[in-house]
Amino acid sequence: MGERIIELMNTVVENDFCIGCGVCASLKDSPLTMKLDQFGKYRPFLNENMQQRDLEVNALTVCPFSSDSKNETEIGKELFGHNEKTSFNKYTGYYIKNYVGHVKEGEYREKGSSGGMANWISAQLLNKKLVDAVIHVKSVNNSNQVLFKYQISHSESELYNGAKSRYYPIEMSQVIKLVKENKGKYAIVGIPCFIKSIRLLADQDKEVKERIKYFIGLVCGHLKSDMFAKSIGWELGIEPEKLKSIDFRKKLEGRLAYDYGVEVEGEKNGKDVVLGAPSRELYTTNWGHGLFKYNACEFCDDVLAETADVTLGDAWLPEYSIDSKGTNVIVVRNPVIQKIFEESKEDKVHIEEISPEKVFESQAGGFRHRRDGLSYRLYLKDKNNEWRPKKRVLPSDKHSNKRKKIYAKRAVLSQESFKAYKIAEKQKDFKAFINHMDYIIEDYNKTVAPSYLSKVLRKVRKKVNRLVKQ
Ligand SMILES: Cc1cc2nc3c(=O)[nH]c(=O)nc-3n(C[C@H](O)[C@H](O)[C@H](O)COP(=O)(O)OP(=O)(O)OC[C@H]3O[C@@H](n4cnc5c(N)ncnc54)[C@H](O)[C@@H]3O)c2cc1C
Ligand code: SF4
Ligand code: SF4
């Protein structure tokens, strides 16, 4: 086995910075195989009895969390920086235009998580023959306990089956091998770190570069271990091994867009059942708590998939959240995609141009945790002399005591959720999970609650604003 693989394992994987993208395991002659670990997260495992040899591609240069790979700004500049219509913003990365919007034609919006744009733009690339197939994440019908994986769609109807967000572990080693075995033009849909790793691979692998033509990014808060899906089913009465499918984003008519539901299918008391609940009523679904989060996500600064040709997310802005049908935030970087939006804006999609500042606002919480919070987490790693990847954000401890406490307690919440799940598994009782987590969640909620002074200030500010407007 090559020295670089050993270094990758000793740095990224051993220190829990691996996001499980699977690119290292897809390399020719790689001694690695992607498997779910005991906490339901993908990571590479060394195959036994592998021969000692270096790989053609240096694994350290394609891993999104190694210190030897290019960062998102460097990749973005090479891809998009030469276009005179492109601007740069430190949050959105390079962009031509930003929009909010939704799909008007077909059932893309109804079937999608948000405004349906991710699936619609994939379909446009197919219909215009710009690609032969789209690589994205769909449900798996055999019941070997893996509910979703990367698969390839060749038609609009196949795409429809793959709509919606999967807050679930996925990896790409198998699908990359499929692309290398099958000629054609592909588009890929992915979260920011996955898009980055394929861009890094394409830099060194001619076949991948020639075949994967378009990169469709999703805005990303963080990725969840499979314990997230299982815990939702379990709380609703379906034991983890009896869970057959899950819809993480069921739109609830008449409610705010972020007040969506979840729906699970599985076996309860020997019978097949479909059960659902509003997401906010469930124990593990508060995204701010970050339960079952991959540790790598704590060290990621790319919220808006800066290396993608186009990025789609939710427009979490008050003026759009009132519509339960869902509205996308959109960042366009590739002129071909820009042209598709321009041509379709009369009848097929509704889009309104917005500023990069407004895009930032739609993801303000995510940016605070992943830029401001990251600088503190990097500071702590350096202070403890622990290995960590190079980031665009610099380490710093210039935060208020309150923010430092919030960041520290968030890390504990996430780490303890894995332990609590294991305890519940052993006791075969979801209540054991709640018993372990209750105090930790309560303590965190107290820390984030606004102080008396800030509540008073907020009220005064509101009153002043009202007087000014009169
Ligand atoms: C892990 C994760 C975290 C996210 N965090 C945020 C966030 O913090 N803020 C925000 O605004 N948006 C976030 N999103 C994006 C959001 O959930 C929607 O996916 C996005 O708004 C696109 O909606 P749509 O209706 O246009 O997509 P749809 O038309 O429903 O299409 C979704 C497409 O994404 C593919 N897909 C689903 N899950 C995955 C996955 N895990 N990896 C790769 N491809 C996938 C589907 O196969 C489909 O092609 C996240 C998505 C994921 C998967
Ligand atoms: S992040 Fe991806 S490339 Fe890096 S070690 Fe993990 S699976 Fe391999
Ligand atoms: S937060 Fe970053 S590292 Fe985590 S899944 Fe999203 S893009 Fe990847």
Side-chain angles (χ1 to χ4, degrees), residues 8 12-13 18-24 34 44 62-64:
L8 184 76
V12 178
V13 182
C18 171
I19 193 62
C21 70
V23 168
C24 57
M34 298 306 292
V62 293
C63 171

Side-chain angles (χ1 to χ4, degrees), residues 63-214:
C63 171
F65 279 94
S66 111
S67 288
D68 293 35
S69 55
K70 283 188 257 183
N71 70 33
E72 292 79 354
T73 309
E74 289 163 343
I75 302 170
K77 189 173 182 189
E78 285 172 16
L79 292 165
F80 313 115
H82 53 83
N83 179 353
E84 57 188 29
K85 292 200 174 133
T86 302
S87 311
F88 180 79
N89 172 281
K90 68 173 175 173
Y91 296 110
T92 58
Y94 289 87
Y95 68 94
I96 300 176
K97 281 195 178 173
N98 307 301
Y99 303 99
V100 286
H102 62 259
V103 184
K104 290 202 286 189
E105 67 172 344
E107 290 182 282
Y108 292 99
R109 196 181 190 193
E110 286 86 330
K111 288 191 187 282
S113 278
S114 180
M117 287 285 191
N119 231 3
W120 178 82
I121 197 73
S122 306
Q124 301 315 298
L125 295 174
L126 264 181
N127 295 344
K128 289 177 187 299
K129 308 233 177 306
L130 291 165
V131 299
D132 307 307
V134 178
I135 306 163
H136 63 146
V137 174
K138 302 208 280 185
S139 39
V140 180
N141 290 328
N142 62 14
S143 64
N144 65 353
Q145 289 289 298
V146 171
L147 301 182
F148 303 100
K149 66 177 196 178
Y150 261 103
Q151 295 172 60
I152 300 183
S153 288
H154 295 87
S155 67
E156 210 165 332
S157 63
E158 283 179 20
L159 272 178
Y160 264 143
N161 291 333
K164 297 237 172 159
S165 311
R166 324 296 192 189
Y167 306 131
Y168 194 83
I170 25 100
E171 64 89 20
M172 301 185 289
S173 64
Q174 298 305 319
V175 91
I176 295 169
K177 284 178 189 165
L178 270 175
V179 167
K180 286 184 69 70
E181 283 159 14
N182 295 282
K183 274 191 190 162
K185 290 178 287 178
Y186 299 86
I188 185 161
V189 185
I191 46 180
C193 53
F194 279 43
I195 296 285
K196 178 187 178 188
S197 59
I198 298 282
R199 289 286 195 194
L200 291 168
L201 179 64
D203 247 4
Q204 303 199 47
D205 185 318
K206 237 177 89 194
E207 259 170 7
V208 170
K209 193 172 191 110
E210 275 169 15
R211 293 180 188 179
I212 305 189
K213 296 282 186 196
Y214 292 94

Side-chain angles (χ1 to χ4, degrees), residues 237-457:
I238 298 173
E239 284 163 13
E241 63 283 5
K242 306 267 170 67
L243 179 67
K244 290 185 184 149
S245 75
I246 181 162
D247 178 350
F248 295 98
R249 294 276 301 253
K250 199 141 176 77
K251 289 174 184 172
L252 301 176
E253 213 182 315
R255 298 210 187 194
L256 296 172
Y258 52 75
D259 193 4
Y260 51 79
V262 283
E263 190 172 271
V264 287
E265 269 184 71
E267 205 186 298
K268 186 179 175 183
N269 304 328
K271 281 191 189 145
D272 284 338
V273 287
V274 179
L275 303 164
S279 178
R280 70 184 154 82
E281 287 175 14
L282 295 170
Y283 196 83
T284 58
T285 48
N286 180 329
W287 277 81
H289 290 166
L291 307 186
F292 311 121
K293 182 197 293 193
Y294 275 62
N295 183 56
C297 303
E298 293 288 76
F299 293 85
C300 162
D301 53 27
D302 184 5
V303 177
L304 290 174
E306 293 174 43
T307 65
D309 293 304
V310 59
T311 300
L312 295 316
D314 288 287
W316 295 139
L317 295 161
E319 56 272 42
Y320 301 103
S321 295
I322 48 169
D323 190 344
S324 61
K325 294 194 285 300
T327 307
N328 285 111
V329 65
I330 306 159
V331 180
V332 185
R333 305 187 181 88
N334 182 321
V336 177
I337 308 248
Q338 175 62 25
K339 193 162 168 250
I340 295 176
F341 277 116
E342 285 297 329
E343 286 170 357
S344 312
K345 69 182 179 192
E346 294 304 323
D347 48 350
K348 297 179 177 164
V349 294
H350 169 80
I351 47 170
E352 296 164 35
E353 193 176 345
I354 55 165
S355 65
E357 289 74 27
K358 203 79 185 161
V359 177
F360 167 85
E361 224 180 282
S362 82
Q363 305 295 328
F367 275 113
R368 182 149 71 168
H369 188 70
R370 304 256 291 286
R371 296 285 170 95
D372 188 63
L374 172 58
S375 72
Y376 185 55
R377 291 188 286 280
L378 293 173
Y379 163 83
L380 291 178
K381 283 278 168 199
D382 292 352
K383 192 172 150 223
N384 296 331
N385 257 328
E386 289 168 345
W387 186 89
R388 51 93 172 171
K390 268 193 216 150
K391 301 306 303 176
R392 295 177 294 176
V393 170
L394 296 175
S396 163
D397 72 338
K398 306 273 177 284
H399 310 265
S400 68
N401 282 339
K402 178 168 175 165
R403 292 266 20 125
K404 282 184 195 172
K405 268 194 206 156
I406 291 175
Y407 296 138
K409 288 186 181 183
R410 269 193 199 146
V412 173
L413 267 176
S414 165
Q415 286 152 14
E416 289 297 319
S417 65
F418 290 102
K419 280 193 213 160
Y421 188 90
K422 283 284 169 198
I423 295 169
E425 222 174 30
K426 213 168 171 189
Q427 295 185 16
K428 297 190 189 313
D429 189 355
F430 186 68
K431 281 199 204 94
F433 177 83
I434 297 178
N435 289 342
H436 186 96
M437 292 305 294
D438 254 356
Y439 170 75
I440 306 165
I441 290 181
E442 209 179 294
D443 179 50
Y444 171 79
N445 288 346
K446 269 192 215 148
T447 312
V448 290
S451 66
Y452 178 70
L453 182 66
S454 59
K455 274 188 202 159
V456 172
L457 282 175

